[in-house]
Amino acid sequence: MNHTPLQETHEAVAPWYRQGWFWFIVGIPMASVCLGTTMLIVAFTHQDSLVKDEYYRDGKAINQVIARNQRAEALEIGATVTIDELTGEVALQVGGKDDLLPSVLRLSFLSPTLASQDQVIDIRQIAPGRYIGQLTQQIKGRRYVHLETIETQDSYKPSEKGWLIESQQHIEAGNRFQIGYFGS
């Protein structure tokens, strides 16, 4: 009988962190955790401004908005809005059946998609029916334009006895547009 001794082979085994299959199996869950964490961070830092937090309260207040729109229509309130493209000055010529216009009105330029582009300014009366205000930054494109009365200079609440004009406009630099009532 011929016996040959078994030869032991001592191959160097690579450590665990150099094994390809280990990284393949562990890499997929690790990538999922990293991607999920990234998506959570993006979702919380860039919240959608189209969804209103106070949708229930706003829904209950719709009757007040309708009543204020009807008061503006009954008083035949209309305004011509001019925006100076260089200085950002907003000039309004307001007219209607009501000769006693308030000394301060609120003019809002609301973006349909980005709340960060909204501008709300209080405009002051400089002559009967003539108002002036100042924009903080230039606006252009489609905007919802609201012109409304407010209680007092220090109040941020809309007047319950006042009026509101709502319009949708495409605003370009230096153009003039009309909102509200201008004859039938």
Side-chain angles (χ1 to χ4, degrees):
M1 281 207 184
N2 198 355
H3 289 293
T4 56
L6 292 172
Q7 293 182 356
E8 292 184 23
T9 58
H10 294 286
E11 290 183 26
V13 177
W16 65 270
Y17 55 85
R18 289 195 178 171
Q19 297 292 326
W21 283 107
F22 170 78
W23 288 111
F24 179 74
I25 292 171
V26 172
I28 292 173
M30 281 178 39
S32 298
V33 168
C34 291
L35 184 61
T37 304
T38 303
M39 292 178 80
L40 272 174
I41 290 170
V42 168
F44 282 115
T45 57
H46 302 293
Q47 293 183 5
D48 190 3
S49 64
L50 292 176
V51 179
K52 289 189 171 190
D53 293 332
E54 306 91 20
Y55 66 92
Y56 182 72
R57 183 179 53 101
D58 291 347
K60 287 179 17 180
I62 192 71
N63 291 334
Q64 293 173 346
V65 171
I66 291 171
R68 293 174 63 220
N69 284 336
Q70 289 172 343
R71 276 193 291 276
E73 194 173 310
L75 293 172
E76 298 179 353
I77 303 290
T80 302
V81 182
T82 307
I83 302 172
D84 188 327
E85 64 181 304
L86 294 176
T87 63
E89 183 178 83
V90 180
L92 266 80
Q93 184 67 42
V94 181
K97 286 183 181 178
D98 190 8
D99 292 333
L100 188 62
L101 292 170
S103 61
V104 179
L105 293 174
R106 177 156 296 143
L107 181 63
S108 305
F109 295 98
L110 307 173
S111 171
T113 54
L114 299 172
S116 62
Q117 293 182 359
D118 293 352
Q119 288 195 54
V120 179
I121 58 173
D122 290 344
I123 55 174
R124 308 218 180 281
Q125 189 175 35
I126 59 171
R130 183 127 169 85
Y131 292 83
I132 295 289
Q134 184 69 40
L135 293 172
T136 56
Q137 60 186 4
Q138 283 189 348
I139 56 172
K140 65 180 183 177
R142 195 176 95 182
R143 293 286 188 274
Y144 297 114
V145 180
H146 294 183
L147 179 64
E148 62 187 316
T149 58
I150 52 178
E151 290 292 332
T152 62
Q153 273 182 282
D154 302 325
S155 174
Y156 290 100
K157 295 188 311 184
S159 173
E160 293 182 12
K161 297 177 183 173
W163 46 263
L164 168 67
I165 300 172
E166 298 177 305
S167 176
Q168 181 177 333
Q169 299 290 329
H170 186 77
I171 300 172
E172 293 295 328
N175 74 345
R176 171 184 289 198
F177 57 91
Q178 294 180 334
I179 58 175
Y181 181 83
F182 280 94
S184 49

